[in-house]
Amino acid sequence: SAASDVYKRQEYEGFIMDGIRVCYGKEFYDDIEKVKYEGCYYEGKRFGKGVLYDRNGGIEYDGLWKEDK
């Protein structure tokens, strides 16, 4: 329903082209309001420079990505 959508947590904030994540953005954990990934995207996948965070906000990986890896 429309009411429940209002309370849905934001999972992504950034550039989107034709429904696909591009350029730069942030992903959030869907159950807590913490950043999961912040960095570059190409054709919807993590690509280029990016940082992956754990659930406590610690850095899990900081470096280059290709095809979400």
Side-chain angles (χ1 to χ4, degrees):
S1 74
S4 64
D5 291 344
V6 173
Y7 297 105
K8 186 176 187 304
R9 294 187 192 279
Q10 187 171 1
E11 290 177 27
Y12 176 74
E13 176 184 290
F15 293 95
I16 294 178
M17 192 179 294
D18 297 326
I20 296 168
R21 297 171 182 184
V22 294
C23 298
Y24 182 85
K26 290 181 186 178
E27 276 175 58
F28 297 88
Y29 282 100
D30 56 6
D31 56 338
I32 55 175
E33 292 180 11
K34 290 201 181 238
V35 175
K36 182 176 187 178
Y37 171 82
E38 180 175 8
C40 300
Y41 290 88
Y42 179 71
E43 293 184 348
K45 296 191 166 104
R46 298 170 186 169
F47 193 99
K49 182 95 175 82
V51 182
L52 182 69
Y53 297 93
D54 64 23
R55 296 176 67 83
N56 298 313
I59 293 174
E60 218 167 270
Y61 176 76
D62 181 354
L64 296 175
W65 294 76
K66 187 176 180 183
E67 298 285 306
D68 267 346
K69 299 183 180 99

